[in-house]
């Protein structure tokens, strides 16, 4: 029975390959009978089988690379030390816990967590094109002033992690590795999140 489980994932690949080759040969044959160049018929047959399954593969990869070059970014608008200097004595009144942070909900927020009485960590997301491309924004926000302390932008593609999802989720070959911004002086959005969260008194 184990051999069946090993072979089973390859069955669709074999079937698709057979259909693809058959379509190419059939296209060449029809083209030859009609006096057309056989390669043109083969190309048409190949596209008829290829496009319904793989039409979004190359476009997704190319658009993913474009957004990786133009959108990925990490900005620190205010460090914890700068915030403390501008709000003397406030940090010492805040409380935090090692337990999972309470959820924070607001318009446009995909996932949000309360860090303490002043700060939240939110993730926002947009899908700019009709392809499985997603641009995700992680922000640390002072909920009293709505000032963004830091924002990190990353790009993902495909029908898995950081993706659009939907009916094409079975297309595991679509997409590329997610693009993350570089650190700034050793900091990431997640190390800053911890620093803003752990201000004040641990409960």
């Amino acid at each position: 029975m184990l051999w069946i489980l090993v072979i089973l994932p390859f069955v669709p690949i074999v079937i698709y390959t057979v259909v693809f080759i058959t379509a190419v040969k059939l296209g060449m044959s029809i083209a030859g009978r009609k006096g057309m160049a056989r390669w043109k018929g083969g190309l048409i047959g190949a596209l008829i089988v290829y496009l319904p399954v793989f039409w979004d593969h190359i476009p997704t990869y190319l658009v993913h690379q474009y957004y990786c070059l133009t959108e990925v970014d990490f900005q620190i608008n205010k460090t914890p030390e700068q915030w403390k200097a501008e709000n003397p004595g406030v940090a010492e009144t805040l409380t935090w816990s090692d337990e999972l942070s309470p959820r924070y909900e607001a318009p446009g927020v995909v996932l949000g967590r309360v860090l303490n009485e002043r700060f939240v960590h939110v993730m926002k997301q947009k899908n700019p094109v009709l392809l499985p491309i997603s641009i995700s924004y992680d922000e640390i926000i002072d909920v009293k002033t709505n000032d963004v302390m830091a924002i990190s932008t990353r790009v993902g593609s495909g029908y898995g992690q950081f993706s659009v999802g939907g009916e094409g989720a079975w297309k595991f070959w679509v997409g590329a590795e997610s693009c993350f911004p570089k650190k700034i002086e050793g900091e990431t959005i997640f190390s800053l999140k911890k620093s803003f969260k752990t201000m004040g008194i641990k409960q």
Side-chain angles (χ1 to χ4, degrees):
M1 293 297 293
L2 183 59
W3 67 271
I4 296 179
L5 296 178
V6 174
I7 295 175
L8 195 59
F10 296 96
V11 172
I13 298 175
V14 173
I15 294 174
Y16 183 82
T17 302
V18 171
V19 172
F20 185 86
I21 294 173
T22 302
V24 171
K25 289 183 175 180
L26 182 60
M28 294 175 66
S29 177
I30 294 174
R33 291 199 299 268
K34 292 183 176 293
M36 296 172 53
R38 288 172 60 84
W39 71 267
K40 291 183 179 179
L43 178 61
I44 293 172
L47 291 176
I48 289 174
V49 178
Y50 175 85
L51 289 177
V53 179
F54 294 102
W55 71 270
D56 53 353
H57 179 47
I58 295 176
T60 295
Y61 177 80
L62 295 176
V63 175
H64 174 100
Q65 296 305 316
Y66 169 77
Y67 281 117
C68 283
L69 292 174
T70 59
E71 295 289 334
V72 172
D73 193 23
F74 180 34
Q75 297 179 11
I76 301 177
N77 300 324
K78 196 172 295 184
T79 66
E81 292 72 24
Q82 290 172 327
W83 186 87
K84 288 179 183 179
E86 295 177 5
N87 299 270
V90 178
E92 292 76 12
T93 67
L94 304 179
T95 59
W96 60 279
S97 171
D98 283 330
E99 297 181 3
L100 182 64
S101 303
R103 291 183 66 90
Y104 174 81
E105 296 183 359
V109 173
V110 176
L111 178 63
R113 294 289 179 184
V114 176
L115 304 180
N116 52 42
E117 290 87 347
R118 284 294 294 264
F119 297 104
V120 296
H121 171 227
V122 302
M123 187 186 81
K124 301 175 182 178
Q125 193 175 75
K126 72 176 182 180
N127 308 111
V129 291
L130 296 176
L131 289 168
I133 304 285
S134 62
I135 303 176
S136 299
Y137 308 89
D138 282 286
E139 300 178 2
I140 299 172
I141 302 174
D142 182 338
V143 291
K144 183 176 181 180
T145 62
N146 285 324
D147 291 338
V148 178
M149 303 293 103
I151 179 171
S152 175
T153 306
R154 66 186 188 272
V155 174
S157 62
Y159 297 97
Q161 190 177 15
F162 305 141
S163 69
V164 179
E167 295 180 359
W170 54 275
K171 295 184 178 182
F172 60 87
W173 57 84
V174 176
E177 185 176 352
S178 297
C179 297
F180 295 86
K182 296 180 179 179
K183 297 180 180 180
I184 297 180
E185 298 182 356
E187 295 280 11
T188 67
I189 192 70
F190 300 105
S191 63
L192 280 176
K193 180 180 90 169
K194 182 177 180 181
S195 297
F196 277 104
K197 175 180 179 178
T198 56
M199 291 181 181
I201 304 169
K202 182 178 179 181
Q203 291 183 325

